[in-house]
Amino acid sequence: VPPVAASLPPFAARHVGPNDDAVTTLLATVGTPTLDALIDRAVPAGIRVDRPLDLPAPVNEAEAIAELRALAARSTPAVAMIGDGYHRTHTPAVIRRNVLESPSWYTAYTPYQPEISQGRLEALTTFQPMIADLTGPPIANASLLDEATAVAEAVTLMRRAGRAASSRVVIDAEVLPQTLAVLRTRCAPLGIELDVADLSGGLPDGELFGLVVQSPGRSGVVRDLAPVIADAKARGALVTVAADLLALTVLTSPGTWGADIAVGSSQRFGVPLFAGGPHAAFMAVREGLERSLPGRLVGVSVDANGAPAYRLALQTREQHIRREKATSNICTAQVLLAVVAGMYAVWHGPDGLRAIALHAHRQARRLAAALAAHGVTPVHAAFLDTVTLAVPGRADAVLAAAADAGVDLGTVNADHVRVACDETTTDAHLAVVLT
């Protein structure tokens, strides 16, 4: 590997950091004569390729951008109606331009230094009470990485904070598939036993330290979860509800049911799908669990002059401070997208958010009624915006026909498909699904 020339074209010079002087200093510091010798020392032979890479000829910056645009143009975006915790949304133009596309916001990895991050911290204090208002538990953090890992954090929180001797946690069979996959990975090395159960007949027998339920369920079903939650708490377990944030504008909140923890994704609050992520998650907890709460918690304090000031609270939770005793690392807490979600709520206000949820519900009801008239039966009578439909033996054909028409529907099994309506669902979209 030859030293990097100082006369590199501007594009390469901006992306390949070391120049000749820097490389010479680096090699002298680590005590190797060449970069090849350094690689021999640092990279095990078993993972190295022993031949030159088969790469195309290099291009300049303008040519690279044109090539990337040509590749992007080959994509055919479809209308996503898959559900599974992913919903299309309209990002208000003022938020897109002034927050999502603004370097003042998107370059903030995390607001460690309060003296230069007052605006970001103030924006996050909008996010926190919004989550608490919608979910019920009074103490909310300023976001987590995504819903699946937030549920995993909730399970380990219940294990830490609970008093039950059992190592078993009951997981609602209606949880999202990515959530269950992360739970299996995170819980196995901790010795936590996962019991995935259909809760339609109540909570299964036996001891447990925690319960995780999904509201609404993956199938779209809306259920009264109060009895199963009360049963779990009567057995000494803590309870987590993974909730749809938009649904909480019109449905019963986890706090009303007596949940100890509420988690979920804020993606529906104006955050684009971004090809599946990232999307800021949330967590709210009842009083008494705040010191076990993972993630970032922003508090209001006073500065040296007695004026209101924002700062990160309970900082001893941090990975870089407490190391193995830390409850989390706040770097994985999605500052920008939590701000977007909070600003979206401010932009629409309570009535606007409720109207968006009711629009999605109205479209789902219209779809279900029209399909039922043609013999395609909704599985559940109670739903908000996601309908699971019985199409015996025809699911693959239905999904393929919808995809050909530019709409992606949700996969359930060979006999059922799932259709999720959202803020952006139009009559034209419904017509494609009906066809």
Side-chain angles (χ1 to χ4, degrees), residues 54-92:
D54 183 17
L55 298 175
V59 296
N60 62 32
E61 183 171 5
E63 292 168 333
I65 291 172
E67 190 174 321
L68 290 170
R69 284 179 175 155
L71 287 170
R74 292 166 57 185
S75 297
T76 306
V79 176
M81 301 182 78
I82 62 172
D84 273 350
Y86 295 100
H87 301 270
R88 294 186 309 147
T89 180
H90 291 307
T91 307

Side-chain angles (χ1 to χ4, degrees), residues 3-383:
V4 179
S7 59
L8 281 172
F11 179 74
R14 286 201 302 274
H15 292 82
V16 182
N19 57 25
D20 288 346
D21 291 341
V23 170
T24 300
T25 301
L26 182 152
L27 294 175
T29 301
V30 300
T32 54
T34 64
L35 286 176
D36 281 331
L38 175 60
I39 291 172
D40 286 338
R41 284 178 54 185
V43 183
I47 64 171
R48 292 170 58 182
V49 177
D50 59 1
R51 54 176 172 74
L53 296 178
D54 183 17
L55 298 175
V59 296
N60 62 32
E61 183 171 5
E63 292 168 333
I65 291 172
E67 190 174 321
L68 290 170
R69 284 179 175 155
L71 287 170
R74 292 166 57 185
S75 297
T76 306
V79 176
M81 301 182 78
I82 62 172
D84 273 350
Y86 295 100
H87 301 270
R88 294 186 309 147
T89 180
H90 291 307
T91 307
V94 63
I95 296 175
R96 187 184 68 246
R97 186 72 187 99
N98 295 300
V99 179
L100 200 55
E101 297 175 355
S102 169
S104 296
W105 290 102
Y106 70 65
T107 56
Y109 187 52
T110 195
Y112 279 115
Q113 296 174 271
E115 64 274 15
I116 62 172
S117 301
Q118 286 294 294
R120 300 183 195 107
L121 291 166
E122 183 177 3
L124 289 173
T125 59
T126 299
F127 181 88
Q128 290 177 165
M130 173 191 79
I131 298 302
D133 285 349
L134 288 170
T135 61
I139 304 161
N141 63 17
S143 75
L144 287 167
L145 180 61
D146 62 5
E147 179 169 348
T149 54
V151 174
E153 292 277 7
V155 169
T156 55
L157 191 162
M158 291 190 295
R159 189 78 174 109
R160 287 195 306 269
R163 297 177 180 175
S166 172
S167 61
R168 172 176 172 244
V169 58
V170 174
I171 308 296
D172 184 3
E174 286 277 351
V175 299
L176 303 178
Q178 61 270 25
T179 295
L180 186 56
V182 171
L183 282 173
R184 292 191 193 282
T185 301
R186 294 276 292 270
C187 291
L190 299 176
I192 294 174
E193 175 192 351
L194 295 184
D195 181 0
V196 181
D198 179 356
L199 301 179
S200 58
L203 192 64
D205 294 335
E207 295 183 351
L208 67 159
F209 74 82
L211 168 68
V212 176
V213 294
Q214 188 87 40
S215 176
R218 184 196 182 196
S219 66
V221 63
V222 172
R223 303 162 292 174
D224 178 10
L225 294 167
V228 72
I229 289 176
D231 187 4
K233 294 178 76 68
R235 298 191 212 175
L238 297 181
V239 177
T240 294
V241 176
D244 182 311
L245 202 55
L246 185 65
L248 291 178
T249 63
V250 292
L251 297 182
T252 302
S253 70
T256 302
W257 282 326
D260 302 287
I261 305 166
V263 296
S265 168
S266 63
Q267 182 268 313
R268 300 194 79 168
F269 276 31
V271 181
L273 286 175
F274 287 146
H279 304 123
F282 62 84
M283 180 182 288
V285 298
R286 64 163 170 79
E287 291 184 357
L289 296 178
E290 57 268 26
R291 289 200 171 268
S292 293
L293 178 68
R296 174 182 47 229
L297 192 66
V298 180
V300 181
S301 184
V302 293
D303 65 14
N305 298 317
Y310 300 92
R311 59 183 290 272
L312 293 180
L314 298 177
Q315 289 192 44
T316 52
R317 75 183 67 252
E318 285 248 35
Q319 191 68 46
H320 72 283
I321 296 173
R322 298 190 71 195
R323 299 182 185 275
E324 73 281 356
K325 295 182 180 179
T327 57
S328 70
N329 179 352
I330 68 167
C331 293
T332 58
Q334 307 287 17
V335 173
L336 173 65
L337 302 181
V339 170
V340 168
M343 296 294 186
Y344 179 90
V346 171
W347 174 255
H348 287 288
D351 292 340
L353 294 175
R354 212 170 284 115
I356 291 168
L358 292 175
H359 165 78
H361 177 55
R362 186 164 51 249
Q363 296 294 71
R365 283 178 53 195
R366 293 176 63 206
L367 177 67
L371 288 169
H374 289 82
V376 180
T377 310
V379 173
H380 304 295
F383 54 85

